[in-house]
Amino acid sequence: MSYFRENIESAKGYEPGFQPPAPAASLLRSKTAGGAEVVKLNTNENPWPPSPAVLKAIAEIKAEQLRRYPDPMGNAFREAAAKINGVEPEWIMCCNGGDDLLRMAFIAFCDKRRPVAYPVPTYSLYPVLANIQNCKAIEVAFDKEFNLPARLARVRAALTIVCNPNAPSGTFIEVEELASLAAEIKGVLLIDEAYVDFAEQNCTELVKQFGNVIILRSLSKGYSLAGLRFGYAIARPETIKGLLKVKDSYNVDAIAIAAATAAIKDREYFKETIEKVKAERKRLTEQLRGLGFTLPESSSNFVFAEHKTCKAKEIYDKLVQRNIYVRYWNNVGIDNKLRITVGTRQQDDTLLAALKEIVAG
Ligand SMILES: Cc1ncc(COP(=O)(O)O)c(C=O)c1O
């Protein structure tokens, strides 16, 4: 007999991408226990370090800030994020990573009679959270070009999630299309913009136009802070108020608030880093196409590639033998594709050289 609820007992749980042990000294390259170089392009981390202002903010943390509980609302961050997004601070809620907001949304909007819906393939955490919450997950398939499926508006979900840019495809759905979806559905539309910093547009305006829209942002990707765990929601104040009822009392810690605030305020460093990733994404895309891969245009910091002749799983295994990690899922519809994070030029050159050998047989 198990102590767990049935759906927890039978669940597989979320499977994070492999994290090789990394020495703290290097953010760009790490070594395995045996000392070999590892090229880690499997979890969409930004290959560039966070802004120096972040490390300065952390160094300036006072013992008193650790002795006391943090500001439960993270108001310093809210104010900075509000300015950047052209809203009032009441429209912002700090989260312990974007995943924290997703968990809150499932608790707040879904139960046995209130299903969630999302287009697939997408972020593999959504079905895991649906299972924990014991709500039905209505998965509506994207077409081959990853266009927004029209059926999504008709399934009557309490919570509809659209990941934009989508993971793992990297593709972008136009803001106008999401506006139509928000207007059509009766429930909440959560737009997961974890990767939007690498895109040309975002959906902030939709929060102002529609009362049922919530936007998720993450500092893990665009701000190189995956290790910090910080994200935020943008939504109407009345929606934020409702979400606060299911928030952990102190969901973001004092160090994280200070570091995230410093990061989001350093606009120049942020823009520079984003431009570097975008330029490298363009080069990586072209080089992969040159090696016989097909991949949709990416608006994110990763690409989703399929080779014309070589099987993705074989390529993946051969890359692992060379200590190069990309992401592979043995799931229907995506089992012949590899999701590759855009790295530094040096990391990507190591990957490309290995791929050249592998696809040549
Ligand atoms: C699509 C998507 N949404 C949200 C998140 C959550 O990001 P975090 O919790 O690191 O802010 C991730 C992380 O990989 C993601 O891929």
Side-chain angles (χ1 to χ4, degrees), residues 97-99 102 123 126 163 167 192 194-195 216 218 220-221 229-230:
D99 285 350
L102 289 169
Y123 186 27
Y126 305 155
C163 185
D192 180 343
Y195 297 99
L216 176 155
S218 169
S220 298
K221 328 286 178 179
R229 313 304 305 129
F230 210 96

Side-chain angles (χ1 to χ4, degrees), residues 14 43-44 95-100 102 122-126 163-167 192-195 216-221 225-226 229-232 302 339:
Y14 179 70
T43 51
N44 298 340
C95 307
N96 186 12
D99 285 350
D100 188 25
L102 289 169
T122 192
Y123 186 27
S124 53
L125 184 67
Y126 305 155
C163 185
N164 200 40
N166 186 46
D192 180 343
E193 291 195 337
Y195 297 99
L216 176 155
R217 294 278 173 79
S218 169
L219 270 70
S220 298
K221 328 286 178 179
L225 287 172
R229 313 304 305 129
F230 210 96
Y232 64 101
F302 55 83
R339 192 197 67 189

Side-chain angles (χ1 to χ4, degrees), residues 68-117:
R68 294 176 58 163
Y69 280 104
D71 173 358
M73 293 302 293
N75 279 311
F77 180 86
R78 283 178 105 190
E79 276 166 32
K83 244 186 221 150
I84 286 156
N85 288 290
V87 294
E88 293 300 316
E90 293 69 36
W91 295 55
I92 305 283
M93 179 181 67
C94 300
C95 307
N96 186 12
D99 285 350
D100 188 25
L101 173 61
L102 289 169
R103 186 178 282 268
M104 284 187 234
F106 274 85
I107 296 171
F109 304 117
C110 297
D111 64 20
K112 259 194 168 145
R113 292 184 310 278
R114 301 167 62 99
V116 63

Side-chain angles (χ1 to χ4, degrees), residues 21-175:
S26 168
L27 283 165
L28 298 183
R29 284 151 154 248
S30 55
K31 293 197 170 168
T32 60
E37 286 277 349
V38 171
V39 175
K40 190 176 172 308
L41 303 172
N42 66 337
T43 51
N44 298 340
E45 287 139 340
N46 196 316
W48 302 105
S51 153
V54 169
L55 297 184
K56 186 165 176 281
I58 294 173
E60 286 170 0
I61 293 284
K62 304 278 180 293
E64 184 62 4
Q65 279 171 279
L66 300 181
R67 189 187 67 77
R68 294 176 58 163
Y69 280 104
D71 173 358
M73 293 302 293
N75 279 311
F77 180 86
R78 283 178 105 190
E79 276 166 32
K83 244 186 221 150
I84 286 156
N85 288 290
V87 294
E88 293 300 316
E90 293 69 36
W91 295 55
I92 305 283
M93 179 181 67
C94 300
C95 307
N96 186 12
D99 285 350
D100 188 25
L101 173 61
L102 289 169
R103 186 178 282 268
M104 284 187 234
F106 274 85
I107 296 171
F109 304 117
C110 297
D111 64 20
K112 259 194 168 145
R113 292 184 310 278
R114 301 167 62 99
V116 63
Y118 45 84
V120 286
T122 192
Y123 186 27
S124 53
L125 184 67
Y126 305 155
V128 172
L129 293 176
N131 182 58
I132 292 171
Q133 189 60 14
N134 220 358
C135 74
K136 189 174 160 200
I138 305 167
E139 302 193 336
V140 184
F142 276 118
D143 63 15
K144 282 207 160 49
E145 275 80 45
F146 295 94
N147 293 305
L148 190 66
R151 197 169 84 83
L152 195 62
R154 298 194 296 267
V155 294
R156 295 165 178 268
L159 173 65
T160 302
I161 308 179
V162 178
C163 185
N164 200 40
N166 186 46
S169 60
T171 47
F172 190 83
I173 292 163
E174 294 304 319
V175 177

